[in-house]
């Protein structure tokens, strides 16, 4: 049962008693990076209005802004509206401080079409109109590395409690899971303090690579938790002289990092609509998979948002290269785990750890819903290795970007303003990348001159 939200007077008294001076008013930008303002606690408790420029949710990773015509020349304000259900004490702050996630709301009261949290909410509203509620559980992989002050140098595993860095592959090793115990102890405490419902914690295949599974739940609440999870990992790692890295392919020769999304749908009674009363799969289940197969290629830019993202999709690496589906088959892009009827779900294995969780969940659910609405049939399930089939996902940023901006379906699934804006931002980031000369070019092409 959800706890009652605090009244303004109660909140003001809490802040006063705890010596809280400020509240971090946060929202995720297009890359999943935390943006916002620090607001005096007394003003936050009083419900004072807070505004920010509409362009901020679409800020590039370079810090630049697009001048695509979709963005108003006047750069108007949006209101930052707090979701008080997300109000939490900041566990890593050296002074008493709270944070709260906010929605970006236009001055006319509409959700800002450019804000990732809005995109997910609008998709969920379409499900609600049909009497359905998505249930989602992400599995988030990341590396913990030594501090890297020179971006020209590769990332490296940190020194552990034995005085040496990890070598080799220690997949699922409990010894190695405890190697950075001070970091993990504080990170566990931060996750609990932020109300993140974490399930299992494992050491993954890569050196100093880990995976944490979040418990299944309401899609928006889970996206909020995934956002805060990444924020907490980075903040706590820095306190221990480490880096938490969510790049899709951060280290040469090591596995990539994913964000698998388990998805199911329940009706108003809480029953899983992917299963019939006798436990067999419903037509809706097949249509949902059909929608993912039909539309995810057009939305690949959401699941793999950067140049680096496409280094992860390598045959034989447990990263998918196509959208075949199969029962308990980790070579496929869409895996159906073996489960009871109530837990029947689809695991979308396409998204990288670098994907914005709000957008990745929104895109996956929007594609599935389109499959249900259009009664799309899935392909036949794959029994063997999906790596024996063609690599039919976009293989580069360029091809994914072109497919996204030219897609007839993407505006219907995610909203035309968002699709135009996202495409413009990603084009600007790509232009920035193309202005840099890489070590590969200097190493191999200079001798050829």
């Amino acid at each position: 049962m959800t706890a009652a939200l605090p009244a303004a007077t109660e909140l003001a008294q809490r802040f006063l008693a705890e010596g809280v001076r400020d509240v971090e008013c946060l929202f995720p930008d297009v890359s999943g990076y935390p943006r916002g303002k620090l607001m005096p606690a007394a003003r936050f408790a009083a419900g004072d209005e807070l505004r920010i420029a509409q362009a901020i949710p679409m800020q590039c990773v370079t810090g630049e802004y697009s001048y695509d015509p979709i963005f108003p020349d006047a750069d108007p304000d949006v209101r930052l509206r707090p979701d008080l259900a997300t109000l939490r004490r900041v566990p890593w702050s050296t002074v008493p401080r709270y944070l709260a996630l906010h929605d970006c709301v236009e001055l006319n009261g509409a959700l800002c079409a450019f804000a990732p949290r809005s995109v997910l909410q609008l998709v969920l509203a379409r499900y609600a109109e049909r009497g359905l509620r998505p249930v989602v559980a992400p599995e988030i992989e990341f590396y913990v590395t030594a501090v890297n002050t020179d971006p020209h140098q590769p990332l490296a595993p940190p020194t552990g409690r034995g005085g040496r860095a990890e070598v080799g592959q220690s997949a699922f090793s409990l010894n190695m899971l405890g190697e950075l115990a001070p970091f993990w102890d504080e990170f566990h405490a931060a996750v609990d303090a932020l109300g993140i419902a974490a399930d299992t914690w494992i050491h993954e295949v890569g050196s100093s690579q880990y995976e944490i599974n979040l418990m299944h739940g309401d899609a928006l609440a889970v996206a909020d938790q995934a956002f805060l999870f990444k924020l907490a990992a980075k903040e706590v790692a820095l306190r221990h002289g480490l880096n938490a890295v969510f790049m899709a392919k951060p280290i040469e020769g090591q596995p990539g990092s994913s964000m698998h999304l388990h998805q199911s749908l329940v009706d108003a009674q809480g029953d899983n609509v992917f299963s019939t009363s006798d436990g067999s799969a419903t037509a809706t289940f097949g249509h949902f998979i059909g929608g993912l197969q039909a539309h995810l290629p057009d939305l690949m830019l959401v699941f793999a948002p950067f140049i680096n993202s496409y280094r992860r999709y390598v045959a034989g690496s447990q990263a998918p290269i196509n959208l075949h589906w199969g029962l308990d088959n980790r070579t496929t892009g869409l895996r159906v785990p073996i489960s009871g009827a109530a837990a029947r779900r689809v695991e979308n294995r396409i998204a990288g750890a670098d994907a914005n969780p709000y957008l990745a969940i929104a895109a996956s659910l929007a594609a599935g819903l389109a499959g249900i609405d259009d009664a799309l049939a899935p392909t036949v399930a794959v029994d063997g290795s999906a790596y024996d089939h063609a690599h039919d996902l976009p293989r580069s940023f360029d091809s994914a970007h072109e497919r996204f901006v030219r897609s007839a379906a993407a505006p219907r699934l995610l909203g035309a303003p968002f699709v135009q804006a996202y495409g413009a931002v990603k084009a600007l980031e790509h232009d920035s990348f193309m202005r840099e000369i890489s070590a590969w070019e200097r190493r191999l092409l200079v001798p050829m001159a």
Side-chain angles (χ1 to χ4, degrees), residues 260 288 301:
H260 297 164
F288 188 91
L301 194 64

Side-chain angles (χ1 to χ4, degrees), residues 5 45 76 87 115 119 136 143 171 211 225 227 230 242 311 331 345 347 392 396 415 429:
L5 299 180
L87 185 67
V119 175
V136 179
Y143 281 83
E211 176 184 291
Q225 291 179 43
F227 169 70
K230 296 170 81 170
L242 305 166
R311 299 182 184 275
T331 69
R345 61 196 184 276
E347 179 190 6
D392 57 12
S396 69
E429 291 175 353

Side-chain angles (χ1 to χ4, degrees), residues 123 126-127 130 132 263 265 273-274 282-297 299 334 346 362-379 409-410 412-413:
V123 171
R126 300 206 296 270
Y127 274 95
R130 294 158 176 79
L132 298 173
Q263 307 153 96
L265 304 178
V273 301
F274 288 166
T282 62
T284 298
F285 181 61
H287 297 330
F288 188 91
I289 293 175
L292 296 179
Q293 291 182 317
H295 297 301
L296 292 192
L299 305 179
L334 304 172
V346 181
S364 194
L365 292 177
L369 184 60
I372 294 172
D373 288 345
D374 297 336
L376 299 180
T379 60
R412 173 168 62 94
L413 300 180

